Amino acid sequence: MAVPKKKKSRSRIGARRSHDHVSVPAIVSCPSCGEPKVAHQVCPNCGKYAGRMVIESEEEE
Ligand SMILES: [Zn+2]
């Protein structure tokens, strides 16, 4: 088994862990219905994406 030669310093551990964060999903308001939705995804409220009907829903504009 490979064994590390040197002990990792606290600063090196911190430098590695500086990237260990989760990013919050970008929330934008839908341009069609104005409801908040996840950016770059189909709006769950009106079913539209980029002005185009993607999901058939009971609610039409
Ligand atoms: Zn919408």
Side-chain angles (χ1 to χ4, degrees):
M1 194 177 78
V3 176
K5 213 168 208 176
K6 289 266 164 57
K7 178 184 178 177
K8 291 274 188 292
S9 67
R10 293 305 311 173
S11 93
R12 214 162 245 296
I13 291 168
R16 184 179 66 240
R17 290 180 184 171
S18 69
H19 298 279
D20 293 355
H21 55 80
V22 290
S23 56
V24 290
I27 301 293
V28 296
S29 60
C30 177
S32 305
C33 66
E35 283 291 304
K37 71 173 195 72
V38 183
H40 313 294
Q41 289 189 28
V42 179
C43 176
N45 187 55
C46 65
K48 281 185 182 175
Y49 186 72
R52 190 165 58 86
M53 205 64 183
V54 179
I55 301 168
E56 296 302 323
S57 66
E58 63 282 349
E59 194 180 337
E60 298 277 323
E61 279 198 324

